Amino acid sequence: MKKRFLSGMALAGAAAFALTACSSDGGDTGSSDAASGDGGGGGGDTIVVGFAQTGSESGWRSANTESMKTAFSEDNGFELVFNAADNDTAAQIAAVRGFINQGVDAIVIAPIVEDGWDDVLTEAADAGIPVILEDRTVSASEDLYAAWIGLDFEEEGVKAGEWAAEMYGDEETKMVVLEGTTGSAPANDRATGFDAAIEGTMIEKIDSQTGDFTRDGGKSVMEGFIQNYGVDNIDLVYAHNDDMALGAIEAIEAAGAVPGEDIKIISIDAVHDGMQALVDGKINYIVECNPLLGDLVAAAVTGVINGDDVEAVQYVEDLAFDQAAAEAALPDRKY
Ligand code: AHR
């Protein structure tokens, strides 16, 4: 797939486009006939959008939900039918089926896992309802959805791994990994990118288990690692998100060790709590994963419904932070 990277400037531009596109119908918030599927955003009516969110597993997810709800507001010409599936794939697919039966104008999905989407995406296509993916990818054919907007998870893993290789790669380093949700695109791709970047270094992965992207999951998996290997035999934690890193910090402190010193920590997301832990020296490096995708997704939905030429693959660029960079960035962080 062709990659289109969007910088902060482009994001601002897209936001302006989204607002213009949606206010051209006067921001009509009158009710549309969802049951008949006659929302017809292209004709100037309210656009009825079903959004199937993963759940509320992390700080990143809360920021993403907030961004989507703000972008798909009534003032912007949308009626949002929101569903959060609590990280349950069957429930998320059932929610999408519900949107199809309801006859919404468009469906947006943040897919929990990559596999298993072919049938329901085909049903949406047969019903003539365009699907736009946000955040995570699927393994189903690209013909089954109109656009995908999100982050380059593999590149995030590469950035994290390159920093680890530079800082710790020349000395014997025993690493444990806190994986995201099994089968999800970020868990798969962040592992692939990181592993490639540390190849040939002295960093040894001694264990890797899922903490499901949650703080509690990260804490209990880290407690298990400490119990199995001993706190003195773990040098580095690579956490697939900040929430799991924050849970690991609690487990490390409870075991009487100092996170960021005795055990180094690298994570991904750069949400406020994670950045504060980096500033406090408890996390050593964070690669960003930008959750503020709402305006871009809303612009894509409007474009698809209006029959415009919408870029099929839209990557949003991520930054990375060491302690000094986090200190400088934290006061202005939006999430
Ligand atoms: O898909 C993005 C990932 O999902 C974020 O990194 C994680 O925090 C969230 O749960």
Side-chain angles (χ1 to χ4, degrees):
M1 269 189 183
K2 192 167 76 132
K3 291 185 180 181
R4 177 190 176 210
F5 281 95
L6 296 157
S7 63
M9 281 296 284
L11 281 169
F17 166 72
L19 291 172
T20 311
C22 296
S23 61
S24 63
D25 64 7
D28 178 9
T29 56
S31 65
S32 61
D33 185 355
S36 71
D38 189 28
D45 295 336
T46 295
I47 302 175
V48 182
V49 176
F51 174 37
Q53 178 60 289
T54 61
S56 53
E57 70 278 2
S58 63
W60 190 98
R61 191 59 56 192
S62 307
N64 179 248
T65 294
E66 180 74 28
S67 168
M68 293 288 286
K69 285 185 173 174
T70 303
F72 285 94
S73 67
E74 285 185 13
D75 284 351
N76 286 345
F78 295 98
E79 180 187 327
L80 186 67
V81 188
F82 178 78
N83 179 276
D86 201 19
N87 229 24
D88 177 338
T89 306
Q92 191 175 41
I93 289 172
V96 173
R97 282 214 169 88
F99 295 150
I100 296 169
N101 292 335
Q102 209 178 326
V104 297
D105 297 317
I107 296 173
V108 178
I109 310 172
I112 297 168
V113 292
E114 294 193 88
D115 295 340
W117 288 97
D118 303 68
D119 288 352
V120 77
L121 291 181
T122 303
E123 288 164 36
D126 289 347
I129 301 174
V131 172
I132 286 88
L133 304 180
E134 74 115 22
D135 166 26
R136 301 183 186 178
T137 47
V138 294
S139 56
S141 164
E142 290 161 22
D143 299 343
L144 292 174
Y145 52 93
W148 169 84
I149 292 132
L151 302 309
D152 190 336
F153 300 130
E154 189 169 331
E155 183 58 25
E156 292 169 353
V158 169
K159 280 183 188 164
E162 283 177 345
W163 193 82
E166 193 185 322
M167 302 302 288
Y168 315 120
D170 292 339
E171 61 201 68
E172 203 173 285
T173 301
K174 304 227 177 283
M175 174 182 73
V176 293
V177 179
L178 298 170
E179 299 166 19
T181 299
T182 305
S184 70
N188 292 340
D189 297 351
R190 287 172 186 169
T192 303
F194 192 96
D195 289 351
I198 62 163
E199 214 178 288
T201 71
M202 292 179 73
I203 300 171
E204 181 197 355
K205 192 193 319 184
I206 59 170
D207 212 333
S208 181
Q209 286 177 34
T210 182
D212 237 350
F213 282 130
T214 68
R215 202 172 291 210
D216 285 353
K219 185 178 177 195
S220 68
V221 172
M222 192 65 208
E223 284 168 349
F225 287 153
I226 291 171
Q227 203 169 11
N228 288 347
Y229 302 100
V231 79
D232 295 334
N233 298 315
I234 300 169
D235 304 308
L236 175 64
V237 175
Y238 169 40
H240 285 181
N241 81 343
D242 287 350
D243 279 78
M244 292 190 295
L246 292 162
I249 287 171
E250 290 179 35
I252 293 166
E253 287 176 337
V258 182
E261 288 182 27
D262 299 330
I263 298 179
K264 314 288 189 207
I265 303 179
I266 297 172
S267 73
I268 295 179
D269 270 1
V271 295
H272 193 274
D273 289 358
M275 292 288 272
Q276 187 61 58
L278 177 53
V279 169
D280 296 342
K282 297 183 179 194
I283 292 179
N284 303 83
Y285 194 66
I286 301 183
V287 177
E288 184 179 54
C289 179
N290 192 330
L292 306 181
L293 306 175
D295 287 331
L296 280 173
V297 179
V301 167
T302 305
V304 166
I305 285 191
N306 286 341
D308 299 339
D309 208 4
V310 172
E311 196 86 32
V313 178
Q314 300 179 35
Y315 280 93
V316 174
E317 210 160 8
D318 291 317
L319 304 173
F321 303 91
D322 59 14
Q323 191 178 34
E327 245 162 31
L330 194 53
D332 300 320
R333 290 300 279 174
K334 295 201 166 55
Y335 54 91

